Amino acid sequence: MDLATIIGIILSFGLVISSIVFNGSILIFISVPSLLIVVGGTIGATLVNYPLRSVLGVMGVIKHTFMSKVESPSQIIEQFMEYANRARREGILSLEPIIKDIEDLYLKKGLQLTVDGLEPQAIQEILEKEITYLEGRHETGAEILSTFGAYAPAMGMIGTVIGLILMLQTMDDPSTIGPSMAVALITTFYGAVFANLVFLPMAGKLKQRSKDEVVIKEMVMEGILAISKGENPRIIEEKLTSFLPPKDRRKET
């Protein structure tokens, strides 16, 4: 679980709700018509903008903002040092028995291509294409959430216009002015909250997640290519260590 995402959502919504409770009743800010306008309008507009499959798949994308499964770079270095030393001692074919136990499909595919005897250039082209498609999928997910964030305030403004029209048409009946004005203002409130506390922050988190995952993939590709070329384990370690921030690199003694 990503604590930053959970803490951020709890903190932002908690402070907003607290400010409401301290100055009145939370029930005042509950409006089903306003919610329908914002949520329904945002989803509908997004469906016009993107294919149905992409919009339905956004739930799986949102999951990545709460779940962090990116492997530690230090663990990757340890893995590749084990692979490199084994390949140097027993040959590249000695890696074949351990491939079936690898859970990372990207790493598994790269090692299998290496064991199969493909040239390093061919392996690099295949793995780079995998990274390109990964970036494309992540970019689409982040774009959809950003689109939600753009449409939600617009739907709020539409709700405001609807509320004002209803209010102006019933100015002769003072009892209807309050509910109509409530729909007008609360809809804008809902749109701003959903956009700035949910959709846009999640889009930003997905973009950062994508960058982190791409760096890990590039690190794995570098290790696989080094093994396929038969490079010295010490050189492989130096290459992979260069992906780490300076403060995380092991100090030589």
Side-chain angles (χ1 to χ4, degrees):
M1 295 293 289
D2 181 53
L3 290 179
T5 301
I6 296 174
I7 292 173
I9 290 177
I10 294 175
L11 181 62
S12 58
F13 275 96
L15 291 175
V16 170
I17 293 174
S18 297
S19 66
I20 293 173
V21 172
F22 288 154
N23 294 280
S25 173
I26 190 68
L27 297 177
I28 300 175
F29 288 82
I30 298 177
S31 172
V32 175
S34 298
L35 192 62
L36 291 175
I37 291 172
V38 173
V39 176
T42 300
I43 294 175
T46 305
L47 284 171
V48 174
N49 200 50
Y50 290 95
L52 178 61
R53 178 183 295 181
S54 298
V55 177
L56 292 178
V58 77
M59 292 306 299
V61 173
I62 291 175
K63 181 180 65 175
H64 290 295
T65 63
F66 294 95
M67 301 292 184
S68 179
K69 295 183 179 179
V70 179
E71 192 172 359
S72 167
S74 300
Q75 293 178 343
I76 292 176
I77 293 176
E78 292 178 4
Q79 277 184 309
F80 272 99
M81 290 308 299
E82 179 184 345
Y83 299 154
N85 287 319
R86 182 167 181 167
R88 189 175 181 83
R89 291 193 311 266
E90 306 173 26
I92 198 70
L93 293 178
S94 65
L95 298 177
E96 190 167 15
I98 66 175
I99 291 178
K100 62 174 185 271
D101 298 324
I102 297 177
E103 296 182 0
D104 185 346
L105 296 179
Y106 185 79
L107 172 58
K108 189 173 186 175
K109 183 174 185 177
L111 287 179
Q112 187 63 61
L113 293 173
T114 302
V115 170
D116 290 343
L118 267 71
E119 293 293 328
Q121 183 177 356
I123 296 175
Q124 183 175 359
E125 290 177 357
I126 294 172
L127 296 182
E128 284 180 344
K129 188 166 293 186
E130 288 273 352
I131 293 177
T132 299
Y133 288 145
L134 173 73
E135 289 180 308
R137 292 193 299 271
H138 288 182
E139 184 178 353
T140 299
E143 282 181 358
I144 292 176
L145 285 176
S146 296
T147 301
F148 277 133
Y151 286 148
M155 292 302 109
M157 290 303 297
I158 291 175
T160 298
V161 173
I162 292 173
L164 291 175
I165 292 173
L166 293 174
M167 183 184 69
L168 292 173
Q169 286 184 337
T170 57
M171 288 293 288
D172 57 336
D173 185 0
S175 64
T176 64
I177 295 177
S180 298
M181 181 58 74
V183 172
L185 298 180
I186 293 176
T187 310
T188 300
F189 172 74
Y190 282 170
V193 167
F194 281 125
N196 296 288
L197 298 187
V198 180
F199 299 135
L200 294 180
M202 282 187 174
K205 177 59 69 71
L206 282 177
K207 291 178 182 178
Q208 185 60 48
R209 282 270 188 275
S210 179
K211 291 179 182 179
D212 294 340
E213 190 168 349
V214 167
V215 169
I216 293 298
K217 298 295 186 189
E218 291 176 345
M219 187 177 184
V220 169
M221 180 175 65
E222 186 70 36
I224 290 172
L225 292 176
I227 291 177
S228 69
K229 295 175 183 177
E231 294 182 357
N232 188 290
R234 176 60 179 167
I235 296 177
I236 296 176
E237 183 180 22
E238 289 295 332
K239 284 185 175 181
L240 298 183
T241 301
S242 66
F243 284 86
L244 298 176
K247 63 184 181 64
D248 294 334
R249 298 176 186 176
R250 189 181 66 185
K251 293 182 180 180
E252 300 295 335
T253 57

